[in-house]
């Protein structure tokens, strides 16, 4: 996979980024009202998490792919809220991660299409036609090479067990890492105290803990074996973080 | 290796990934791996890699994309065995 995106797509992503930046204060305010006001969610040690995140994305750095566990439909919103205050994103908009939602879940209505466009989203069709998936990978690789953060859920969906699913994950994250040599991964373990298994929404009033670990997956293998190897390393890292999380809670 | 032998071996390789074991018991070459056998699409990669290991062949991406049914898998494996 050569990370070279046609000029038309590059222009489209640039325009999307500009539009997203312009509307970001409105979208972010709406999201904060929903998360904090309506759902009454809170974060554990937000300043500590945000200062660690800022250090990780400041200055010269390799392409950075954000990989998180996935338990609710609004994890992307919680993740963005947890990693930086609004002014941090306005000063360094590349640190607001692009998201990669499943097309079938979000492209049904004009509202969601506009929201996804302004919310730095690139649709993916999991298990879709090869050319379509490859096109999405090219877009994401281009964004990473351009210094943008891209956030994906390497499990491919919400874990049905409520724990990081080390059995049923896809290898898309591995293919993306292969397309961007030298890329590092920022693993984010995100969980509400009251979260049991997976759910559509968090428990009202829940307090979220966010843990960050940055590493560079490596493999000697190419092709599908290499993609599998890289994806496995990312999932194993998230599973380790989860084990630590529960060990610390006891 | 004749087609029947290849078919049996392909079915054995697919078996651990199959959610619908009843459909596998009645499988034929037209059986669709994802839809009929309810194999997770992400596991299709593992199946292709297992074909490579167990048959001692290499399957390129184009050929891997052709694998929709058990018959497709048998055809790809036989093609690679013959060309190798």
């Amino acid at each position: 996979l050569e990370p070279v995106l046609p000029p038309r797509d590059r222009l489209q992503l640039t325009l999307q980024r500009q539009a997203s930046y312009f509307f970001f204060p409105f979208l972010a305010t709406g999201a904060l009202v929903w998360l904090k006001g309506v759902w009454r969610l809170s974060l554990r040690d937000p300043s500590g998490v945000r200062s660690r995140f800022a250090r990780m994305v400041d200055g010269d750095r390799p392409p950075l792919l954000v990989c998180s566990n996935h338990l609710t439909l609004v994890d992307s919103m919680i993740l963005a809220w947890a990693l930086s205050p609004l002014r941090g994103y306005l000063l360094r908009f590349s640190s607001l991660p692009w998201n990669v939602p499943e097309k079938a879940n979000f492209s049904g209505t004009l509202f969601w299409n506009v929201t996804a466009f302004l919310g730095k989203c690139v649709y993916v069709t999991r298990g879709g036609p090869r050319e379509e998936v490859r096109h999405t990978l090219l877009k994401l690789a281009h964004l990473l090479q351009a210094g943008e953060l891209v956030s994906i859920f390497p499990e491919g969906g919400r874990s049905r067990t409520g724990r990081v699913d080390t059995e049923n994950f896809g290898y898309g994250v591995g293919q993306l890492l292969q397309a961007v040599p030298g890329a590092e991964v920022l693993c984010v373990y995100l969980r509400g105290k009251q979260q049991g298994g997976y759910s559509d929404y968090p428990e009202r009033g829940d307090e979220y803990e966010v843990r960050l670990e940055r590493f560079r997956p490596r493999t000697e293998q190419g092709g599908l074996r290499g993609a599998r190897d890289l994806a496995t390393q990312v999932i194993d890292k998230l599973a380790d973080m989860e084990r630590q999380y529960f060990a610390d809670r006891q | 290796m004749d087609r029947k032998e290849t078919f049996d071996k392909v079915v054995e390789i697919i078996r651990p990934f199959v959610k619908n074991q009843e459909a596998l018991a009645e499988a034929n070459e037209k059986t669709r791996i994802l839809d009929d056998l309810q194999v997770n699409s992400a596991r299709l990669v593992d199946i292709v890699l297992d074909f490579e290991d167990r048959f001692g062949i290499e399957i390129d991406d184009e050929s891997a994309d052709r694998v929709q049914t058990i018959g497709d898998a048998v055809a790809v494996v036989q093609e690679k065995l013959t060309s190798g």
Side-chain angles (χ1 to χ4, degrees):
Chain A
L1 180 71
E2 288 294 320
V4 178
L5 193 65
R8 203 181 98 178
D9 290 310
R10 274 185 272 172
L11 176 64
Q12 184 260 312
L13 288 172
T14 302
L15 292 174
Q16 184 177 356
R17 188 184 189 280
Q18 296 302 330
S20 181
Y21 182 77
F22 183 77
F23 284 98
F24 175 70
F26 307 103
L27 271 186
T29 302
L32 283 175
V33 166
W34 192 84
L35 291 169
K36 292 169 75 174
V38 178
W39 229 253
R40 302 194 315 277
L41 301 180
S42 61
L43 296 168
R44 186 179 172 194
D45 186 24
S47 56
V49 171
R50 288 168 177 175
S51 65
R52 280 200 298 283
F53 177 72
R55 282 198 300 276
M56 289 175 177
V57 298
D58 267 347
D60 282 342
R61 58 164 171 78
L64 194 56
L65 180 64
V66 178
C67 292
S68 172
N69 62 317
H70 194 15
L71 291 169
T72 78
L73 291 174
V74 292
D75 285 346
S76 295
M77 274 169 63
I78 297 171
L79 184 75
W81 169 43
L83 293 181
S84 173
L86 195 146
R87 66 180 177 281
Y89 287 132
L90 286 173
L91 290 171
R92 193 179 44 239
F93 199 54
S94 59
S95 66
L96 176 68
W98 290 75
N99 289 292
V100 193
E102 167 67 44
K103 189 177 183 179
N105 294 345
F106 285 93
S107 64
T109 66
L110 180 64
F111 172 79
W112 279 119
N113 275 328
V114 171
T115 304
F117 183 82
L118 296 177
K120 288 180 96 175
C121 290
V122 173
Y123 286 132
V124 67
T125 304
R126 293 196 182 87
R130 186 168 174 237
E131 277 310 307
E132 193 179 329
V133 174
R134 181 184 148 82
H135 189 228
T136 304
L137 275 175
L138 276 176
K139 283 185 177 180
L140 300 178
H142 169 78
L143 290 169
L144 286 168
Q145 299 278 27
E148 295 284 311
L149 257 60
V150 172
S151 171
I152 61 176
F153 298 112
E155 293 167 278
R158 287 172 292 161
S159 167
R160 268 34 185 175
T161 62
R163 300 296 177 99
V164 174
D165 188 347
T166 57
E167 299 293 328
N168 296 304
F169 60 94
Y171 303 146
V173 63
Q175 290 175 304
L176 183 52
L177 288 169
Q178 284 176 315
V180 189
E184 294 191 357
V185 174
L186 172 58
C187 283
V188 181
Y189 189 75
L190 177 79
R191 192 176 195 104
K193 258 186 185 170
Q194 299 174 55
Q195 184 78 36
Y198 84 104
S199 59
D200 286 351
Y201 298 100
E203 293 289 329
R204 278 181 191 271
D206 208 353
E207 182 190 49
Y208 268 77
E209 182 166 340
V210 179
R211 296 183 175 206
L212 311 176
E213 279 195 38
R214 181 173 162 178
F215 82 117
R216 177 176 293 184
R218 295 170 196 274
T219 184
E220 298 292 311
Q221 304 181 86
L224 291 174
R225 277 174 212 279
R228 179 167 68 176
D229 190 17
L230 293 168
T232 303
Q233 290 175 47
V234 173
I235 288 291
D236 286 348
K237 173 65 78 179
L238 284 171
D240 281 346
M241 292 170 77
E242 182 171 71
R243 272 191 289 277
Q244 193 59 52
Y245 169 84
F246 280 105
D248 291 345
R249 268 181 60 167
Q250 284 181 348
Chain B
M1 190 178 290
D2 66 22
R3 198 167 177 95
K4 176 71 171 67
E5 277 180 278
T6 307
F7 176 89
D8 291 341
K9 207 165 171 181
V10 161
V11 168
E12 282 315 302
I13 290 168
I14 293 173
R15 187 180 299 282
F17 303 97
V18 170
K19 288 183 187 147
N20 187 349
Q21 291 289 336
E22 286 176 13
L24 186 66
E26 296 171 5
N28 56 48
E29 294 214 5
K30 289 183 179 167
T31 302
R32 292 168 300 176
I33 296 172
L34 298 185
D35 296 336
D36 298 334
L37 302 180
Q38 294 170 17
V39 170
N40 182 329
S41 61
R43 298 286 72 79
L44 207 49
V45 173
D46 295 295
I47 289 172
V48 169
L49 295 176
D50 281 355
F51 289 160
E52 290 189 342
D53 291 338
R54 301 274 288 276
F55 289 102
I57 55 176
E58 280 190 28
I59 300 175
D60 53 277
D61 288 354
E62 298 290 333
S63 301
D65 282 347
R66 277 167 36 209
V67 177
Q68 311 265 329
T69 66
I70 294 181
D72 296 333
V74 171
V76 166
V77 167
Q78 289 219 306
E79 181 187 306
K80 300 299 174 189
L81 283 171
T82 308
S83 63

